[in-house]
Amino acid sequence: MEKKIKTNKDKTYQGKFSNVANRLDRLPISKVHYRILMALGIVYFFDLADLFTLSNVAPALIDHWGVDLKTISHITAISFLGMFLGASFGGRLADRIGRKKALSWFVLLFSLSSALNAFAWDIPSLMFFRFFTGVGVAAAMIVTNSYLAEFFPSNVRGKYISFCAMIGLIGIPITNIVSAYVIPLGEWGWRLVFIWGAVGIIYFLFIKGIEESPRWHENRGEYDIADSIMTRIEKQVESEKGILPVPKMGQAVQTIQKGSYLDLFKGKNLKITVVLSLVWIFETFGFYGFASWVPSLLKSQGVTMEKTLWYNVLHSIGAPLGALIGSLISEKFQRKSILAFSAFLTAGAGLLYGMTFLPLMIIIFGFIVNITERVFTSNLYAYTSEPYPTAYRSSGSGLAYGLGRFSNIFGSLLVGSIAINLGYVSVFLFIGGCWLACGLLLIFFGPKTNSQQV
C-alpha cells in the first residue's frame, strides 16, 4: 500500500509502508535472533568486564604506585565523566547514523582505549585512557540495548535483553578470576587486566551477518530499505521455521529524521526522562558504590590484596545467576515491580554486608548483593530502552544512563569522603539508602512497559 507520510520537517516520503513492528513481532525466535544475541552478548561481556577492571586493579595501584583512596576516587570520577559523555552523545549519534554503524565505532573505541590503559606510565596518563574507555563502554551499552529493544518481539523483549545482560555479567566473575591470577604475578601484573578488557575487539568477527535496525530506517521514512531488510530476515526465518503467520495490519508511523534533544523534556517524554534519570543516578551510586569500592574498602580494613581479590571472585559468581533469574522472570511480572522488589532486597543485603567482618558473612552477603543487583540491572537495561519512541530511543536512554554515570563523578568522590571521614559502615548505609530510593521511585512513578510495542 502506497502512503505519503509527513515528517516533523514537513517533508513527504513516497513509498511502501514497511510495517516493521508487526512483522518483527510475529517472528519466532530463530537463528537470526541467536546470532544477534551472540554478537551483542560479546559487546555486553567485554563492556561489563572493562567496567570492573579498575576496581580490581586499584589495590595493586595502592601497593605498587603508592596511591591513596582519594586518587582512586579521582580515576573513577574521570572514568564516569567519559561514560556520561559517551552515553549522552553516543546515543544521539546512534539515532542519527544508525545502530550498527555507531556500535562498531564504539566497540573499537573502548577496546583500543582499554589496551592503552595497560601502557599507562603515571596517574595522569591512566586517567586519560580511562576517560576514553568510559566513553566507548557507555556508548556501546546504550546502542546495544536500543538495537535489542527494536529487534526482538515485544512479548519476549525483556527476557532476551536480560539474557544478553546475563552473558555480559558472566564477564564480571571471569574478569575477577583473571585479575586474581595475573595481578599477583608482579608489579606489571595489573596491566594484563586491561589487555583482557580489550579482547572485546573480537566482536568484529561476528557482526558481518547482522542487519541495521529496520525500525530505525522506517522511522526515517526509508520504507524501501526497511522493507528489504525485513524481507531478507523473513526469508532466513522461513527457511528454518517454515511459513510465517501473516503480520497484523499496521498504521504508518510518524517519521522523524532529526528529533530535537529538547523533545526529551516535552510531553510524555518529560516524565520518562525524569524518572529514568533519577533511577539511574541512584542505581549508579548503589551499584558502583558497592562494586567499585569494596576491594579498596576491604584492603583499607587490613584484608590482604590476595584475599580481597578472591572475596570479589566469590561475590561476583552471583552476578550471572542474578541476571539469569532476571531474564526468567522478566515477562512474568511487570518490570517496574521486579525492579522495585530487587532494589529493596539489595538495600537490605548491602547493609548487612557492611555490618560484618566475618569472612563467611562477607562472602554470603556479597554473593546475595550480586544476585539481587543483577536481577535489577538486567531488567533496567530492558526497561530503559522501552518507554521512548524510536526517534528518541538511544538519545533518551543514553541521557538517562549518562546522567547516572555523570552523577558518579561526584558519587565516587562522595563515597571516598564518607569512607575517610565517617568510616566503613557509613558507606554501606549510603549505598542502602540509594537502593531504597530506586525502589520507591519505580513503585510510584515508573511506567508499565511489558509487551508494548516500542
Side-chain angles (χ1 to χ4, degrees), residues 328-381:
L328 293 175
I329 66 175
S330 186
E331 301 297 345
K332 296 184 182 300
F333 308 96
Q334 274 295 329
R335 268 183 280 288
K336 62 175 284 183
S337 301
I338 296 171
L339 289 167
F341 186 65
S342 57
F344 293 143
L345 291 178
T346 305
L351 286 172
L352 292 171
Y353 182 98
M355 293 178 181
T356 181
F357 288 99
L358 296 174
L360 180 60
M361 293 296 101
I362 288 174
I363 292 168
I364 289 173
F365 289 125
F367 180 77
I368 293 172
V369 166
N370 272 267
I371 290 177
T372 56
E373 268 187 350
R374 273 44 171 211
V375 171
F376 182 94
T377 305
S378 63
N379 277 276
L380 184 60
Y381 284 127

Side-chain angles (χ1 to χ4, degrees), residues 38-294:
M38 179 176 292
L40 300 188
I42 289 169
V43 177
Y44 250 107
F45 184 99
F46 286 100
D47 196 301
L48 291 175
D50 194 89
L51 279 173
F52 289 90
T53 52
L54 181 61
S55 64
N56 286 323
V57 163
L61 294 178
I62 293 171
D63 274 358
H64 303 311
W65 280 11
V67 302
D68 54 20
L69 286 178
K70 185 176 181 180
T71 303
I72 296 296
S73 69
H74 289 159
I75 300 171
T76 303
I78 199 69
S79 300
F80 279 97
L81 175 61
M83 290 181 201
F84 164 64
L85 295 174
S88 301
F89 295 104
R92 184 67 172 158
L93 182 64
D95 283 338
R96 291 292 184 91
I97 70 171
R99 314 311 192 202
K100 182 180 176 181
K101 185 184 294 184
L103 183 57
S104 295
W105 279 109
F106 296 139
V107 171
L108 183 64
L109 176 61
F110 85 68
S111 299
L112 293 180
S113 298
S114 184
L116 289 171
N117 279 272
F119 298 96
W121 54 92
D122 57 15
I123 293 299
S125 63
L126 181 60
M127 292 175 72
F128 181 80
F129 296 137
R130 288 307 298 168
F131 172 81
F132 284 102
T133 307
V135 171
V137 160
M141 182 67 75
I142 288 301
V143 182
T144 296
N145 288 328
S146 293
Y147 189 97
L148 290 167
E150 291 174 2
F151 192 86
F152 277 78
S154 59
N155 65 327
V156 293
R157 180 176 57 232
K159 173 183 176 180
Y160 283 100
I161 296 178
S162 297
F163 183 81
C164 199
M166 183 196 72
I167 296 172
L169 289 164
I170 292 171
I172 297 173
I174 291 178
T175 298
N176 290 339
I177 292 170
V178 169
S179 300
Y181 277 111
V182 303
I183 290 176
L185 292 177
E187 292 189 7
W188 47 269
W190 60 270
R191 298 180 185 273
L192 298 178
V193 180
F194 290 121
I195 296 295
W196 164 251
V199 178
I201 199 79
I202 65 171
Y203 158 82
F204 289 98
L205 300 176
F206 297 87
I207 190 60
K208 184 178 179 181
I210 293 179
E211 301 276 4
E212 178 56 86
S213 167
R215 201 174 302 225
W216 178 77
H217 281 296
E218 182 184 71
N219 182 73
R220 294 165 60 84
E222 298 166 353
Y223 299 124
D224 289 338
I225 299 175
D227 182 66
S228 64
I229 290 173
M230 283 305 308
T231 299
R232 288 195 296 271
I233 291 170
E234 287 164 342
K235 285 181 179 178
Q236 293 178 59
V237 177
E238 280 187 337
S239 67
E240 178 188 351
K241 300 291 185 178
I243 298 175
L244 298 173
V246 177
K248 295 178 181 177
M249 290 296 294
Q251 294 183 347
V253 296
Q254 181 185 10
T255 58
I256 302 175
Q257 286 192 310
K258 295 181 180 180
S260 170
Y261 218 75
L262 293 177
D263 290 341
L264 296 175
F265 302 93
K266 297 177 182 177
K268 294 180 180 179
N269 285 345
L270 175 60
K271 178 183 176 182
I272 295 168
T273 298
V274 171
V275 172
L276 289 179
S277 296
L278 288 173
V279 170
W280 272 110
I281 287 169
F282 286 116
E283 184 272 351
T284 301
F285 284 169
F287 184 93
Y288 289 100
F290 188 90
S292 297
W293 278 94
V294 159

